[in-house]
Amino acid sequence: MDQVDTKISKFLSYVLRHQPESIGLVLDSEGWADIGTLIKCAANHGKRLNYAIIEKIVDANDKKRFAISVDQKRIRAVQGHSTQKVDIRYQEKTPPEILYHGTATRFLDSIFKQGLVAGTRHYVHLSAEKSTAIKVGQRHGKVIILQIDIQLMHEQGFKFYQADNDVWLTKTVPVKYISVI
């Protein structure tokens, strides 16, 4: 993606994950917004969008952060929401034995005191691939990869979900399941 596309992608992340009301947009409980309404609301706030641009961003986003509905009329962020108006009903899934979480070394003290917590988001995000965890962690500073004993968590009743972009989701990861790679 070029710089313009990156700015649009960040704008879409902001309004579809965190602050739809900042442009007067309303999301349903599953996070869907009408694309026509999104285009109008964005225009009213100085952002020029059209369906082709939105489709390009959805298709080009390497993290597959967005989805367009089957009828091509709605868009949503597939995970990562902080707005309390969205509560996507993910299907519970059996996770792989190990998942990873990429973070920055400066967060380790906090993590080993309280575990991984969702913070302002609805879920803790985990990945099945170390390489994905590394990319995520690099956004926050000097990267460190945490390995999560998912099998034990799952056996002890923790629930896991998988978003459309293959990100694994859970409400929290207690310290006893976390190790540093």
Side-chain angles (χ1 to χ4, degrees), residues 165-181:
N165 62 352
D166 294 328
V167 172
W168 283 92
L169 309 168
T170 192
K171 291 290 186 180
T172 186
V173 179
V175 174
K176 68 182 183 178
Y177 303 106
I178 301 171
S179 59
V180 175
I181 294 182

mmCIF file of all heavy atoms in Angstrom, residues 165-181:
data_model
loop_
_atom_site.group_PDB
_atom_site.id
_atom_site.type_symbol
_atom_site.label_atom_id
_atom_site.label_comp_id
_atom_site.label_asym_id
_atom_site.label_seq_id
_atom_site.Cartn_x
_atom_site.Cartn_y
_atom_site.Cartn_z
ATOM 1 N N ASN A 165 -9.694 -12.918 9.945
ATOM 2 C CA ASN A 165 -8.324 -12.735 9.459
ATOM 3 C C ASN A 165 -7.326 -13.648 10.176
ATOM 4 O O ASN A 165 -6.125 -13.409 10.149
ATOM 5 C CB ASN A 165 -7.899 -11.280 9.574
ATOM 6 C CG ASN A 165 -7.886 -10.785 11.002
ATOM 7 O OD1 ASN A 165 -8.330 -11.463 11.928
ATOM 8 N ND2 ASN A 165 -7.390 -9.582 11.197
ATOM 9 N N ASP A 166 -7.832 -14.679 10.840
ATOM 10 C CA ASP A 166 -7.046 -15.709 11.520
ATOM 11 C C ASP A 166 -6.407 -15.271 12.835
ATOM 12 O O ASP A 166 -5.638 -16.029 13.427
ATOM 13 C CB ASP A 166 -5.968 -16.313 10.602
ATOM 14 C CG ASP A 166 -6.588 -17.084 9.447
ATOM 15 O OD1 ASP A 166 -7.684 -17.661 9.640
ATOM 16 O OD2 ASP A 166 -5.997 -17.105 8.356
ATOM 17 N N VAL A 167 -6.710 -14.078 13.317
ATOM 18 C CA VAL A 167 -6.230 -13.670 14.638
ATOM 19 C C VAL A 167 -7.024 -14.449 15.678
ATOM 20 O O VAL A 167 -8.247 -14.553 15.605
ATOM 21 C CB VAL A 167 -6.411 -12.143 14.849
ATOM 22 C CG1 VAL A 167 -6.105 -11.745 16.286
ATOM 23 C CG2 VAL A 167 -5.537 -11.365 13.881
ATOM 24 N N TRP A 168 -6.312 -15.019 16.649
ATOM 25 C CA TRP A 168 -6.962 -15.742 17.744
ATOM 26 C C TRP A 168 -7.279 -14.760 18.852
ATOM 27 O O TRP A 168 -6.486 -13.860 19.149
ATOM 28 C CB TRP A 168 -6.054 -16.868 18.244
ATOM 29 C CG TRP A 168 -6.073 -18.032 17.307
ATOM 30 C CD1 TRP A 168 -5.226 -18.256 16.266
ATOM 31 C CD2 TRP A 168 -7.017 -19.103 17.305
ATOM 32 N NE1 TRP A 168 -5.586 -19.413 15.611
ATOM 33 C CE2 TRP A 168 -6.671 -19.958 16.236
ATOM 34 C CE3 TRP A 168 -8.106 -19.428 18.107
ATOM 35 C CZ2 TRP A 168 -7.380 -21.114 15.947
ATOM 36 C CZ3 TRP A 168 -8.811 -20.593 17.819
ATOM 37 C CH2 TRP A 168 -8.450 -21.412 16.752
ATOM 38 N N LEU A 169 -8.437 -14.930 19.460
ATOM 39 C CA LEU A 169 -8.934 -13.999 20.466
ATOM 40 C C LEU A 169 -9.302 -14.729 21.742
ATOM 41 O O LEU A 169 -9.866 -15.819 21.700
ATOM 42 C CB LEU A 169 -10.187 -13.283 19.933
ATOM 43 C CG LEU A 169 -10.064 -12.627 18.548
ATOM 44 C CD1 LEU A 169 -11.435 -12.221 18.034
ATOM 45 C CD2 LEU A 169 -9.118 -11.458 18.598
ATOM 46 N N THR A 170 -8.999 -14.104 22.873
ATOM 47 C CA THR A 170 -9.427 -14.596 24.175
ATOM 48 C C THR A 170 -9.535 -13.391 25.092
ATOM 49 O O THR A 170 -8.946 -12.342 24.826
ATOM 50 C CB THR A 170 -8.476 -15.684 24.735
ATOM 51 O OG1 THR A 170 -9.089 -16.322 25.847
ATOM 52 C CG2 THR A 170 -7.126 -15.118 25.119
ATOM 53 N N LYS A 171 -10.286 -13.514 26.173
ATOM 54 C CA LYS A 171 -10.511 -12.366 27.055
ATOM 55 C C LYS A 171 -9.278 -11.969 27.855
ATOM 56 O O LYS A 171 -9.030 -10.790 28.082
ATOM 57 C CB LYS A 171 -11.679 -12.643 28.010
ATOM 58 C CG LYS A 171 -13.023 -12.700 27.327
ATOM 59 C CD LYS A 171 -13.438 -11.333 26.845
ATOM 60 C CE LYS A 171 -14.845 -11.345 26.278
ATOM 61 N NZ LYS A 171 -15.247 -10.026 25.802
ATOM 62 N N THR A 172 -8.485 -12.945 28.298
ATOM 63 C CA THR A 172 -7.306 -12.667 29.116
ATOM 64 C C THR A 172 -6.370 -13.867 29.062
ATOM 65 O O THR A 172 -6.803 -14.983 28.754
ATOM 66 C CB THR A 172 -7.700 -12.367 30.572
ATOM 67 O OG1 THR A 172 -6.549 -11.969 31.307
ATOM 68 C CG2 THR A 172 -8.355 -13.547 31.247
ATOM 69 N N VAL A 173 -5.099 -13.629 29.359
ATOM 70 C CA VAL A 173 -4.129 -14.718 29.459
ATOM 71 C C VAL A 173 -3.395 -14.531 30.787
ATOM 72 O O VAL A 173 -2.545 -13.649 30.914
ATOM 73 C CB VAL A 173 -3.113 -14.738 28.305
ATOM 74 C CG1 VAL A 173 -2.110 -15.880 28.483
ATOM 75 C CG2 VAL A 173 -3.815 -14.845 26.946
ATOM 76 N N PRO A 174 -3.725 -15.337 31.801
ATOM 77 C CA PRO A 174 -3.033 -15.236 33.086
ATOM 78 C C PRO A 174 -1.529 -15.540 32.943
ATOM 79 O O PRO A 174 -1.115 -16.293 32.058
ATOM 80 C CB PRO A 174 -3.726 -16.277 33.948
ATOM 81 C CG PRO A 174 -5.099 -16.411 33.336
ATOM 82 C CD PRO A 174 -4.851 -16.262 31.857
ATOM 83 N N VAL A 175 -0.752 -14.958 33.836
ATOM 84 C CA VAL A 175 0.711 -15.058 33.807
ATOM 85 C C VAL A 175 1.197 -16.504 33.738
ATOM 86 O O VAL A 175 2.144 -16.799 33.010
ATOM 87 C CB VAL A 175 1.315 -14.358 35.053
ATOM 88 C CG1 VAL A 175 2.815 -14.563 35.123
ATOM 89 C CG2 VAL A 175 0.967 -12.889 35.061
ATOM 90 N N LYS A 176 0.551 -17.416 34.438
ATOM 91 C CA LYS A 176 1.068 -18.790 34.507
ATOM 92 C C LYS A 176 1.092 -19.511 33.166
ATOM 93 O O LYS A 176 1.742 -20.541 33.020
ATOM 94 C CB LYS A 176 0.286 -19.615 35.544
ATOM 95 C CG LYS A 176 -1.152 -19.895 35.179
ATOM 96 C CD LYS A 176 -1.814 -20.682 36.306
ATOM 97 C CE LYS A 176 -3.237 -21.059 35.994
ATOM 98 N NZ LYS A 176 -3.822 -21.856 37.091
ATOM 99 N N TYR A 177 0.430 -18.970 32.143
ATOM 100 C CA TYR A 177 0.407 -19.600 30.832
ATOM 101 C C TYR A 177 1.401 -18.951 29.863
ATOM 102 O O TYR A 177 1.477 -19.339 28.699
ATOM 103 C CB TYR A 177 -0.994 -19.528 30.227
ATOM 104 C CG TYR A 177 -2.053 -20.147 31.090
ATOM 105 C CD1 TYR A 177 -2.945 -19.345 31.793
ATOM 106 C CD2 TYR A 177 -2.148 -21.527 31.215
ATOM 107 C CE1 TYR A 177 -3.924 -19.913 32.594
ATOM 108 C CE2 TYR A 177 -3.133 -22.101 32.020
ATOM 109 C CZ TYR A 177 -4.003 -21.293 32.711
ATOM 110 O OH TYR A 177 -4.971 -21.847 33.502
ATOM 111 N N ILE A 178 2.136 -17.952 30.322
ATOM 112 C CA ILE A 178 2.994 -17.146 29.448
ATOM 113 C C ILE A 178 4.464 -17.496 29.680
ATOM 114 O O ILE A 178 4.922 -17.577 30.817
ATOM 115 C CB ILE A 178 2.800 -15.640 29.739
ATOM 116 C CG1 ILE A 178 1.333 -15.237 29.516
ATOM 117 C CG2 ILE A 178 3.731 -14.809 28.869
ATOM 118 C CD1 ILE A 178 1.018 -13.820 29.996
ATOM 119 N N SER A 179 5.201 -17.664 28.578
ATOM 120 C CA SER A 179 6.651 -17.786 28.670
ATOM 121 C C SER A 179 7.280 -16.949 27.561
ATOM 122 O O SER A 179 6.673 -16.709 26.518
ATOM 123 C CB SER A 179 7.105 -19.241 28.573
ATOM 124 O OG SER A 179 6.690 -19.816 27.367
ATOM 125 N N VAL A 180 8.497 -16.480 27.806
ATOM 126 C CA VAL A 180 9.222 -15.673 26.829
ATOM 127 C C VAL A 180 10.035 -16.609 25.948
ATOM 128 O O VAL A 180 10.672 -17.526 26.424
ATOM 129 C CB VAL A 180 10.163 -14.680 27.536
ATOM 130 C CG1 VAL A 180 11.004 -13.913 26.519
ATOM 131 C CG2 VAL A 180 9.361 -13.722 28.398
ATOM 132 N N ILE A 181 9.977 -16.354 24.646
ATOM 133 C CA ILE A 181 10.786 -17.148 23.711
ATOM 134 C C ILE A 181 12.161 -16.501 23.631
ATOM 135 O O ILE A 181 12.307 -15.328 23.423
ATOM 136 C CB ILE A 181 10.146 -17.187 22.310
ATOM 137 C CG1 ILE A 181 8.842 -17.940 22.378
ATOM 138 C CG2 ILE A 181 11.091 -17.812 21.316
ATOM 139 C CD1 ILE A 181 8.142 -18.097 21.069
#
